[in-house]
């Protein structure tokens, strides 16, 4: 019997689990399972694990422990979660979210293979499609008034709970999380706020009226269910999200992922309010052994009385906030920032999730850990932190909690199956 490698289902959303199995091996045969994909920039990512077949000549990633490789132990999704770039400092990000899936090639080789080349013939192979939009999800570019971004709508008449999705200090427009949220039944505006289209190239200030305009635009859409909406942001986007929660009555549910509790680097402007920022201290940058920038000390201490006027007025938050903290975040002292925010909030207005070993870039569970990567505007790669296995578990758990939180406070959403 020839070896057979299957992944079930062969086509799935990137945040959903699949089952990887090999049949037709010899009992106790040592094999190498290899996953590889090439992203839209041509960068290849790979993960490999070594398994020994059971007495029936089968390897089942759901039941059997990897003996070594990029991970060890029972990790059903290890070949996806532990993908690593061939070139250093690359982050796996789906850019053309609606244009097609990532195609992950899975191969099984006889014996232990630390390196595989074109001359190595696998015993069996298959391909898994990992999508960032479900069937029927529609993407439309947004260029209305000052607002720039992309709107993702689930299939059907709606109305759907509305969510604004933002990323951080690199600027531009990142859409993969918005596509996955829309596949879970939310109407999602992936919102750019600098370094995109005709928006400012650099972030000089946070004009909250821009974000208010975006919120009003989303809530006016006939397929969006009001009266409140959700906001999710990571890094600088989390800082913005928390400020929106404090000032904008439209915001009913906020997901803050590894952000701050004060304005840092850029002032906030809203009508007659101006919140001055805590300055950055770039002279405190630390260069790591690998040549990356460790930013953790660049942020001024928000507990310094001189910086008290820079705090986001979280005591004004009317909705609910979910704080998601990676305790191994090397970009921000996120745990401190979350604790400073929650200390000033009503106990019934927030929930705090802390994940030891997780880094800065906590993303949906289809995303492997990126602990260092280049970023727009930085002359060197930036250290994000995190350890692969606890980070993977944090992404899996936090994503399910985020979905539950948004549904609890915005109303149920209908997911698209794939």
């Amino acid at each position: 019997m020839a070896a057979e490698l299957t992944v079930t289902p062969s086509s799935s959303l990137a945040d959903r689990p699949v089952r990887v199995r090999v049949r037709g091996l010899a009992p106790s045969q040592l094999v190498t399972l290899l996953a590889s994909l090439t992203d839209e920039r041509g960068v290849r990512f790979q993960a490999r694990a070594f398994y020994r077949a059971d007495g029936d000549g089968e390897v089942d990633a759901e039941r059997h422990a990897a003996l070594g490789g990029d991970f060890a132990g029972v990790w059903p999704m290890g070949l996806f979660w532990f993908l690593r770039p061939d070139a250093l400092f690359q982050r796996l990000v789906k850019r053309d979210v609606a244009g097609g899936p990532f195609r992950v090639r899975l191969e099984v080789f006889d014996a232990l293979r630390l390196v595989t080349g074109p001359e190595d013939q696998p015993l069996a192979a298959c391909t898994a499609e990992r999508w960032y939009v479900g069937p029927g999800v529609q993407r439309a570019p947004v260029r209305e008034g000052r607002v720039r971004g992309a709107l993702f709508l689930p299939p059907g008449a709606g109305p759907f709970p509305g969510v604004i999705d933002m990323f951080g200090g690199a600027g531009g427009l990142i859409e993969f999380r918005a596509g996955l949220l829309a596949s879970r039944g939310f109407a999602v505006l992936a919102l750019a706020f600098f370094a995109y289209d005709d928006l400012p190239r650099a972030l000089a200030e946070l004009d909250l009226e821009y974000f208010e305009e975006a919120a009003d635009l989303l809530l006016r859409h006939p397929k969006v269910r009001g009266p409140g909406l959700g906001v999710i942001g990571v890094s600088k986007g989390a800082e913005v999200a928390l400020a929106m929660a404090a000032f904008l009555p439209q915001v009913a549910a906020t997901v803050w992922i590894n952000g701050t509790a004060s304005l840092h680097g850029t002032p906030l402007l809203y009508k007659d309010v101006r919140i001055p920022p805590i300055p950055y201290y770039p002279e405190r940058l630390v260069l790591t052994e690998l040549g990356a920038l460790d930013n953790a000390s660049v942020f001024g201490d928000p507990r310094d009385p001189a910086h008290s006027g820079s705090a986001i007025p979280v005591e004004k938050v009317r909705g609910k906030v979910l704080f998601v903290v990676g305790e191994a975040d090397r970009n921000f002292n996120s745990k401190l920032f979350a604790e400073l925010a929650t200390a000033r909030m009503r106990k019934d207005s927030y929930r705090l999730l802390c994940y030891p070993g997780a880094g800065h870039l906590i993303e949906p569970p289809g995303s492997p850990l990126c602990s260092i990567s280049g970023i727009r505007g930085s002359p060197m790669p930036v250290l994000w932190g995190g350890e692969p296995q606890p980070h993977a578990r944090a992404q899996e758990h936090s994503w399910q909690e985020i979905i539950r939180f948004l549904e609890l406070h915005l109303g149920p959403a209908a997911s698209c199956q794939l």
Side-chain angles (χ1 to χ4, degrees):
M1 178 181 173
E4 179 190 25
L5 173 59
T6 58
V7 56
T8 309
S10 60
S11 185
S12 60
L13 286 166
D15 63 344
R16 303 291 173 94
V18 295
R19 186 176 190 181
V20 178
R21 300 174 79 183
V22 188
R23 296 187 182 93
L25 301 171
S28 301
Q29 182 178 351
L30 180 65
V31 294
T32 298
L33 274 169
L34 176 68
S36 61
L37 73 83
T38 301
D39 75 3
E40 293 136 315
R41 302 163 301 156
V43 177
R44 188 168 70 156
F45 292 74
Q46 297 186 85
R48 72 185 64 227
F50 313 127
Y51 287 90
R52 194 171 291 281
D54 64 15
D56 295 323
E58 182 173 321
V59 170
D60 182 346
E62 281 191 1
R63 298 186 292 115
H64 297 148
L67 307 175
D70 286 301
F71 57 94
V74 179
W75 286 88
M77 293 296 295
L79 291 167
F80 298 86
W81 290 356
F82 299 113
L83 287 162
R84 291 190 296 126
D86 286 0
L88 289 175
F89 311 143
Q90 303 297 316
R91 178 182 175 194
L92 183 62
V93 175
K94 190 75 175 77
R95 286 166 170 79
D96 183 7
V97 171
F102 275 142
R103 290 180 172 86
V104 184
R105 179 169 169 82
L106 298 168
E107 300 169 291
V108 58
F109 296 89
D110 182 40
L112 186 146
R113 306 287 182 105
L114 291 172
V115 179
T116 46
E119 70 283 357
D120 294 299
Q121 289 301 307
L123 301 173
C126 66
T127 298
E129 291 185 347
R130 303 289 280 168
W131 289 85
Y132 287 81
V133 291
V137 171
Q138 298 293 311
R139 176 197 181 273
V142 173
R143 203 174 194 275
E144 187 171 332
R146 293 190 297 163
V147 179
R148 301 291 179 266
L151 178 64
F152 290 82
L153 289 174
F160 309 106
V163 176
I164 292 176
D165 181 37
M166 297 176 292
F167 280 78
L173 183 63
I174 299 175
E175 304 176 26
F176 69 91
R177 188 171 59 204
L180 290 173
L181 284 170
S183 304
R184 297 279 190 154
F186 299 94
V188 188
L189 173 59
L191 183 64
F193 53 100
F194 74 102
Y196 178 76
D197 197 57
D198 59 351
L199 295 173
R201 301 313 300 166
L203 189 62
E205 62 186 26
L206 289 180
D207 177 3
L208 207 59
E209 291 185 43
Y210 172 80
F211 301 95
E212 184 175 45
E213 185 178 337
D216 290 339
L217 174 67
L218 183 59
L219 284 169
R220 282 200 307 271
H221 195 283
K223 288 192 174 184
V224 174
R225 181 174 73 223
L229 52 74
V231 182
I232 180 170
V234 62
S235 196
K236 192 70 173 180
E239 182 179 303
V240 176
L242 195 60
M244 291 174 71
F247 284 100
L248 305 183
Q250 304 96 316
V251 178
T254 302
V255 180
W256 175 106
I257 305 170
N258 287 330
T260 69
S262 299
L263 274 297
H264 285 267
T266 49
L268 180 144
L269 307 177
Y270 182 60
K271 297 180 179 175
D272 57 351
V273 174
R274 182 184 188 277
I275 300 179
I278 301 173
Y280 295 132
Y281 297 93
E283 66 274 16
R284 299 179 186 170
L285 280 168
V286 174
L287 302 179
T288 72
E289 184 180 13
L290 289 174
L293 298 178
D294 183 342
N295 286 326
S297 299
V298 168
F299 295 84
D301 189 344
R303 296 167 296 187
D304 184 330
H307 299 323
S308 61
S310 298
I312 295 169
V314 291
E315 60 278 359
K316 295 182 179 179
V317 170
R318 281 160 278 199
K320 307 293 184 182
V321 182
L322 178 66
F323 292 90
V324 179
V325 170
E327 294 190 12
D329 184 350
R330 290 301 304 163
N331 196 55
F332 292 178
N333 189 346
S334 299
K335 188 173 184 182
L336 170 65
F337 294 156
E339 289 171 344
L340 290 174
T342 57
R344 296 170 42 226
M345 297 174 68
R346 300 187 325 273
K347 297 299 182 193
D348 64 348
S349 67
Y350 70 86
R351 185 176 174 212
L352 174 61
L353 298 176
C354 290
Y355 297 100
H360 186 66
L361 297 176
I362 296 179
E363 298 179 336
S367 310
L369 167 68
C370 178
S371 60
I372 304 174
S373 74
I375 182 174
R376 182 192 287 110
S378 175
M380 301 169 76
V382 173
L383 180 64
W384 306 116
E387 303 157 27
Q389 295 195 4
H391 191 88
R393 293 199 190 282
Q395 291 193 152
E396 181 184 34
H397 183 266
S398 65
W399 184 240
Q400 303 310 322
E401 293 300 312
I402 287 166
I403 302 298
R404 274 196 282 269
F405 172 81
L406 292 173
E407 286 194 323
L408 177 63
H409 298 296
L410 301 178
S415 63
C416 316
Q417 293 304 313
L418 184 65

